[in-house]
C-alpha cells in the first residue's frame, strides 16, 4: 500500500500503471555507454541498482563500471563466476560475498571516507578498508567493464542510481521499494530505464551529459521493479511469506496490524499472520466467516465478527501481556482474555498455519497488505491515525513493516521473491509458492485514499486557565482544514474549533489554537485532518489536567512525556505508579515543575508529597 504520486496518474484515474522496463544484456557484446564519469574519484559515493542474474555463468561480469584499462584503481560492481562472489573494483576484487541468482536483488556499494560497504537488499554484507580509486576514466558503463575490456553482463538491470554522498543503511532501505526525487541531495545520475524502446538510456537528474547509449542492442524487457500501491494476493492453497526468526518478534506485549481482503471465508480459521512454525506457536491471528481470533499454541480464543468477502478491513491486535484487544477499522470489537505464549525464536509466517505435525493448514485466500509488528501497545487513537498511511519504517516501537509495494499488480513478477522489511532491522521475508503472474497468487492493487499531510509535531500546554495547542506540518497536498476535537474521558470527542490548512505546501507550516474554556478536570485533544475530498484522519492524542482544587496539574506535551506542576510548589518529592501500584518514576519537583518520560502507554497515578499531605491525580497516557 502506498500513496500514488499525482503526476503518475491521469485525471479521474483511480489506479494508473506506468510503463516499467529494464535492460536485458546478452553477455556477449551488449551494454550501455556514457561519455561521463559520475562516480567521484575522491570523496564519498553510493552506487545502487536492481539486478537479476539468470544463472551461474563463467568469468568476470560487470553490472556497472567506470575507469580506464591503462591502469590504476578502477570502480566497478560485478560478479566473479569462478567463485560466485560479488566483486567491487580493483580495491575489493575478492569480497567473499555470494551473489544470489534467479531472483531480483538490490545491490548498493557505499564509500564513506576510505572504507567501502556492500549491501544486498539493504543488509550490510561486508566492508573493505582502504577503498581508493586512482582513475575516474571517461565512460560510465552499464553491463560491461570500462575501457576496451570485455566483461559483458548476462542478465537484467534496473533503477541505477549514482550519488556523491555516502547513503546510510536506513536511506538505502527506504529507497529500495520507492522512487527517489530526482532533485535529492547528492543524486548525480539516475537511470530509471523506463524508455522501453530506442537507443538512449536517459539520466533523470538535472546534471547534463550523462545520458547513456545502448550498444549492440541490449533488450528492453518488462520489469517487476516497479513502485506501486500494492498488496499481496494469496491463493488459499500454499502461498505464504516466510520471515526469518528474529528476537524483535518475541513480543509479550505489543501490537500486530494488517489490512485483509478475503476472496472466500468459511468456518475454518484462516491464518493471517503469526509467529509460529512446526515446533510451536507464540501467536497467530485468524479470521473466519463469523469471528476473528488468536491462537497462542495452547488455546484458540475469538471474538464474533462477520466480515464480508471482497472488502478491505484493517485489523489490529493489541496485547498487554494478559489480554488482547481486537480492532477492526480502528474500532474495538472485543477483548480476548488471552496473551501470547513464551516460545521464542520462531519465524513469522503470513498466509498459512504451520503445525507441529509438520503439516500446513488454514491457508488464507485473498489479499493482505501493510503488515506491521510493534513492541509497544498502540492506542486506539494511534491506530486510527496511522491505519490509512504507509509508514516510513522509522516509527518508534515498529520492529517489522511489510508493505509489498514492489511489483506490477497482476503482471509478470517472476523471480521478485523478496518481501522487504522497511524497518532498520531489514529482516526481509521470502515469497514462497506464489505464481507471480496473473490476477491471483501475485501482487495486487491496494490503493487507499491517503491524506497528503505529514505532521511534524503536535503539542498541548497550559497557560493559566487556557489550553494552547500547537502543531506543525512538514508538507501538505490538497489539505483543507484541521478540526480540533476535545474529550473529557478520552473516548467521546466533540469539535471545539476549526483551523484552515495551507492547501499545498512543501515547507514547514505552523498552526495554533486556544481552548479558552477547557472543562474542569482532564481534557483530551486531537486533530482531525481533512483534505479537499472530505477524507480525514486523526492525530495522536494530547492531554491536559485542569483540576484546580488541590493545585496539582499535569499535561502531556508529546513523545509520551508527562509534565507535572504544583501551584505554589517548590522542591516536593513525587512518584508515578502504574495500575498495579508499581513505582515507575520518582524524583523532585524543581520550582514546582517536572517533566517525566514514560516508556509505555496506559493509566498512571502521580503523587506529590507536601507538608500539608499527599496530592494525587490519575494520568492516562495514550
Amino acid at each position: 500500500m502506498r500513496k500514488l504520486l499525482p503526476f503518475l496518474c491521469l485525471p479521474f484515474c483511480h489506479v494508473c500503471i506506468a510503463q516499467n522496463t529494464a535492460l536485458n544484456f546478452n553477455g556477449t557484446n551488449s551494454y550501455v555507454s556514457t561519455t561521463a564519469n559520475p562516480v567521484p574519484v575522491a570523496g564519498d559515493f553510493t552506487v545502487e541498482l536492481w539486478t537479476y542474474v539468470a544463472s551461474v555463468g563463467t568469468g568476470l561480469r560487470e553490472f556497472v563500471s567506470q575507469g580506464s584499462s591503462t591502469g590504476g584503481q578502477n570502480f566497478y560492481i560485478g560478479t566473479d563466476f569462478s567463485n560466485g562472489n560479488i566483486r567491487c573494483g580493483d580495491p575489493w576484487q575478492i569480497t567473499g560475498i555470494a551473489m544470489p541468482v534467479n531472483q531480483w536483488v538490490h545491490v548498493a556499494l557505499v564509500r564513506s571516507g576510505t572504507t567501502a560497504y556492500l549491501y544486498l537488499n539493504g543488509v550490510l554484507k561486508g566492508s573493505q578498508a582502504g577503498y581508493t580509486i586512482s582513475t575516474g576514466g571517461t565512460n560510465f558503463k552499464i553491463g560491461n567493464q570500462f575501457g576496451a575490456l570485455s566483461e559483458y553482463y548476462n542478465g537484467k538491470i534496473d533503477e541505477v542510481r549514482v550519488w556523491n554522498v555516502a547513503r546510510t543503511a536506513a536511506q538505502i532501505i527506504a529507497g529500495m521499494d520507492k522512487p527517489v526525487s530526482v532533485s535529492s541531495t547528492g543524486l548525480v545520475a539516475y537511470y530509471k530505464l523506463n524508455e522501453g524502446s530506442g537507443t538512449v538510456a536517459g539520466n533523470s537528474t538535472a546534471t547534463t551529459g550523462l545520458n547513456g547509449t545502448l550498444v549492440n542492442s541490449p533488450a528492453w524487457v518488462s520489469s517487476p521493479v516497479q513502485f506501486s500501491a500494492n498488496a499481496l494476493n494469496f491463493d488459499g492453497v500454499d502461498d505464504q511469506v516466510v520471515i526469518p526468526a528474529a528476537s524483535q518478534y518475541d513480543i509479550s506485549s505489543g501490537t500486530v496490524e494488517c489490512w485483509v481482503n478475503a476472496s472466500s471465508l468459511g468456518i475454518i480459521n484462516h491464518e493471517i499472520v503469526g509467529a509460529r512454525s512446526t515446533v510451536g506457536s507464540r501467536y497467530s491471528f485468524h479470521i473466519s466467516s463469523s469471528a476473528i481470533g488468536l491462537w497462542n499454541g495452547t488455546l484458540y480464543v475469538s471474538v464474533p465478527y462477520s466480515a464480508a468477502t471482497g472488502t478491505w478491513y484493517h485489523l489490529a491486535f493489541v496485547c498487554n501481556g494478559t489480554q488482547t484487544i481486537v480492532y477492526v477499522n480502528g474500532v474495538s470489537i472485543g477483548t480476548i482474555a488471552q496473551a501470547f505464549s513464551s516460545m521464542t525464536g520462531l519465524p513469522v509466517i503470513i498466509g498459512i498455519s504451520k503445525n507441529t505435525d509438520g503439516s500446513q493448514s488454514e491457508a488464507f485466500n485473498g489479499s493482505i497488505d501493510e503488515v506491521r509488528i510493534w513492541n509497544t501497545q498502540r492506542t486506539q487513537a494511534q491506530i486510527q491515525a496511522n491505519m490509512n498511511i504507509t509508514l516510513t519504517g522509522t516509527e518508534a516501537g515498529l520492529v517489522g513493516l511489510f508493505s509489498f509495494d514492489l511489483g506490477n499488480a497482476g503482471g509478470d513478477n517472476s523471480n521478485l521473491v523478496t518481501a522487504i522489511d522497511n524497518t532498520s532491522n531489514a529482516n526481509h521475508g521470502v515469497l514462497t509458492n506464489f505464481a507471480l503472474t496473473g490476477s491471483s497468487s501475485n501482487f495486487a492493487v491496494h490503493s487507499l485514499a491517503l491524506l497528503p499531510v505529514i505532521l511534524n509535531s503536535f503539542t498541548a500546554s497550559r497557560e493559566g486557565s487556557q489550553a494552547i495547542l500547537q502543531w506543525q506540518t512538514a508538507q501538505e497536498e490538497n489539505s483543507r482544514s484541521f478540526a480540533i476535537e476535545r474529550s473529557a474521558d478520552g473516548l467521546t470527542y466533540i469539535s471545539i474549533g476549526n483551523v484552515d490548512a495551507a492547501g499545498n505546501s512543501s515547507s514547514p507550516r505552523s498552526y495554533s489554537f486556544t481552548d479558552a474554556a477547557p472543562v474542569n478536570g482532564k481534557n483530551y485533544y486531537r486533530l482531525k485532518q481533512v483534505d479537499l475530498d472530505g477524507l480525514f484522519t486523526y492525530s495522536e492524542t494530547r492531554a491536559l489536567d485542569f483540576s484546580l482544587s488541590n493545585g496539582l496539574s499535569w499535561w502531556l506535551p508529546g513523545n509520551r512525556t508527562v509534565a507535572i506542576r504544583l501551584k505554589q510548589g517548590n522542591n516536593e518529592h513525587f512518584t508515578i505508579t502504574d495500575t498495579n501500584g508499581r513505582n515507575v518514576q520518582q524524583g523532585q519537583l524543581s520550582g514546582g515543575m517536572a517533566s517525566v518520560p514514560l516508556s509505555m502507554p496506559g493509566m498512571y497515578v502521580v503523587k506529590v508529597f507536601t507538608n500539608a499531605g499527599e496530592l494525587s491525580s490519575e494520568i492516562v497516557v495514550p
Side-chain angles (χ1 to χ4, degrees):
M1 176 181 71
R2 189 167 303 283
K3 173 186 171 184
L4 294 178
L5 298 177
F7 57 82
L8 293 180
C9 292
L10 298 173
F12 312 113
C13 173
H14 179 63
V15 177
C16 302
I17 299 177
Q19 170 178 275
N20 195 76
T21 56
L23 282 174
N24 191 16
F25 300 88
N26 61 17
T28 304
N29 64 356
S30 66
Y31 62 98
V32 174
S33 181
T34 75
T35 58
N37 51 343
V39 181
V41 173
D44 296 345
F45 68 74
T46 302
V47 179
E48 56 181 324
L49 56 98
W50 280 90
T51 185
Y52 171 73
V53 179
S55 60
V56 176
T58 58
L60 307 176
R61 311 284 173 164
E62 312 306 338
F63 307 145
V64 292
S65 70
Q66 176 184 294
S68 171
S69 57
T70 59
Q73 300 284 77
N74 298 285
F75 165 82
Y76 50 80
I77 308 173
T79 60
D80 182 350
F81 280 121
S82 66
N83 55 28
N85 290 340
I86 299 175
R87 64 194 206 117
C88 300
D90 292 334
W92 196 11
Q93 295 187 48
I94 303 175
T95 64
I97 300 167
M99 179 65 207
V101 299
N102 295 314
Q103 60 180 281
W104 281 95
V105 179
H106 185 270
V107 180
L109 180 66
V110 178
R111 183 176 69 181
S112 179
T114 58
T115 301
Y117 302 89
L118 181 61
Y119 296 84
L120 295 185
N121 290 334
V123 178
L124 179 63
K125 293 295 184 179
S127 62
Q128 174 69 46
Y131 190 99
T132 58
I133 299 174
S134 59
T135 175
T138 58
N139 57 338
F140 179 78
K141 290 186 177 181
I142 304 173
N144 189 23
Q145 180 64 286
F146 46 78
L149 299 177
S150 299
E151 297 175 1
Y152 299 101
Y153 178 51
N154 181 16
K156 303 173 186 177
I157 291 177
D158 200 358
E159 285 288 315
V160 180
R161 304 168 183 169
V162 180
W163 308 75
N164 60 15
V165 294
R167 299 276 281 173
T168 66
Q171 290 172 323
I172 292 170
I173 293 169
M176 281 172 50
D177 65 344
K178 64 183 69 66
V180 297
S181 170
V182 295
S183 59
S184 298
T185 301
L187 185 60
V188 179
Y190 186 1
Y191 302 95
K192 298 182 180 180
L193 302 181
N194 282 339
E195 287 80 3
S197 63
T199 59
V200 175
N203 164 49
S204 297
T205 72
T207 309
T208 60
L210 291 180
N211 286 348
T213 301
L214 276 63
V215 180
N216 294 322
S217 303
W220 294 104
V221 295
S222 176
S223 172
V225 181
Q226 178 165 294
F227 314 117
S228 306
N230 283 344
L232 196 58
N233 182 269
F234 296 73
D235 64 4
V237 179
D238 59 359
D239 287 353
Q240 56 196 272
V241 177
V242 180
I243 304 166
S247 59
Q248 61 261 26
Y249 303 142
D250 296 334
I251 55 176
S252 297
S253 64
T255 306
V256 178
E257 294 181 80
C258 61
W259 280 92
V260 299
N261 184 344
S263 299
S264 64
L265 287 171
I267 60 173
I268 68 169
N269 301 311
H270 306 277
E271 176 172 326
I272 304 166
V273 57
R276 62 184 293 172
S277 72
T278 55
V279 301
S281 299
R282 188 178 185 89
Y283 54 83
S284 62
F285 305 103
H286 304 252
I287 188 170
S288 71
S289 57
S290 59
I292 297 173
L294 162 66
W295 165 254
N296 68 357
T298 303
L299 292 173
Y300 180 77
V301 182
S302 64
V303 293
Y305 191 81
S306 297
T309 58
T311 302
W312 280 103
Y313 296 94
H314 181 268
L315 307 182
F317 305 88
V318 182
C319 182
N320 65 2
T322 302
Q323 59 186 15
T324 303
I325 304 173
V326 181
Y327 293 87
V328 176
N329 295 335
V331 178
S332 172
I333 64 168
T335 298
I336 295 172
Q338 170 163 288
F340 305 157
S341 81
S342 60
M343 291 202 68
T344 60
L346 301 175
V348 170
I349 308 295
I350 303 173
I352 206 166
S353 293
K354 301 285 189 178
N355 305 314
T356 54
D357 63 2
S359 66
Q360 299 182 150
S361 63
E362 303 176 326
F364 182 81
N365 185 5
S367 296
I368 299 176
D369 195 12
E370 202 71 14
V371 176
R372 307 169 183 175
I373 304 173
W374 306 79
N375 62 17
T376 58
Q377 298 169 50
R378 303 289 284 173
T379 66
Q380 183 176 23
Q382 290 172 325
I383 292 168
Q384 291 175 344
N386 291 303
M387 68 185 195
N388 288 331
I389 300 172
T390 299
L391 301 183
T392 64
T394 60
E395 290 77 7
L398 187 63
V399 297
L401 174 61
F402 301 88
S403 298
F404 309 125
D405 282 332
L406 275 180
N408 179 10
D412 184 358
N413 296 294
S414 301
N415 307 110
L416 186 64
V417 298
T418 300
I420 294 174
D421 173 14
N422 287 109
T423 73
S424 60
N425 294 315
N427 193 43
H428 308 310
V430 178
L431 277 62
T432 304
N433 300 325
F434 287 86
L436 293 177
T437 58
S439 59
S440 64
S441 188
N442 195 5
F443 291 93
V445 171
H446 182 206
S447 175
L448 294 184
L450 304 181
L451 271 182
V453 174
I454 298 176
L455 194 64
N456 263 350
S457 63
F458 174 39
T459 63
S461 60
R462 177 176 169 176
E463 292 188 7
S465 61
Q466 296 181 334
I468 308 299
L469 309 180
Q470 295 177 310
W471 62 99
Q472 184 186 74
T473 61
Q475 70 176 44
E476 300 179 38
E477 292 179 23
N478 300 320
S479 58
R480 185 175 72 189
S481 63
F482 297 91
I484 295 87
E485 297 186 347
R486 185 184 68 202
S487 171
D489 59 6
L491 300 174
T492 304
Y493 285 82
I494 61 171
S495 178
I496 60 171
N498 200 75
V499 175
D500 290 337
N504 292 283
S505 173
S506 58
S507 58
R509 299 293 295 264
S510 297
Y511 300 87
S512 65
F513 179 85
T514 299
D515 181 8
V519 300
N520 183 35
K522 299 175 181 66
N523 290 257
Y524 299 88
Y525 297 95
R526 69 185 184 187
L527 301 176
K528 182 180 180 181
Q529 305 169 18
V530 185
D531 70 10
L532 292 176
D533 296 325
L535 299 169
F536 63 89
T537 192
Y538 292 103
S539 71
E540 294 186 355
T541 303
R542 300 292 179 253
L544 297 173
D545 186 3
F546 281 84
S547 301
L548 302 177
S549 59
N550 59 19
L552 174 63
S553 61
W554 58 266
W555 64 95
L556 304 177
N559 298 323
R560 202 168 290 142
T561 298
V562 176
I564 306 169
R565 182 168 68 180
L566 181 64
K567 188 178 181 180
Q568 298 178 344
N570 191 14
N571 299 319
E572 287 81 4
H573 179 72
F574 73 87
T575 65
I576 298 179
T577 58
D578 61 18
T579 54
N580 295 318
R582 292 174 296 199
N583 193 359
V584 295
Q585 287 282 7
Q586 62 181 351
Q588 299 290 128
L589 299 179
S590 177
M593 298 283 293
S595 182
V596 186
L598 295 174
S599 61
M600 297 291 290
M603 180 176 288
Y604 297 88
V605 176
V606 58
K607 296 181 180 180
V608 177
F609 302 92
T610 72
N611 292 332
E614 175 186 303
L615 304 177
S616 67
S617 179
E618 289 184 349
I619 300 176
V620 178
V621 179

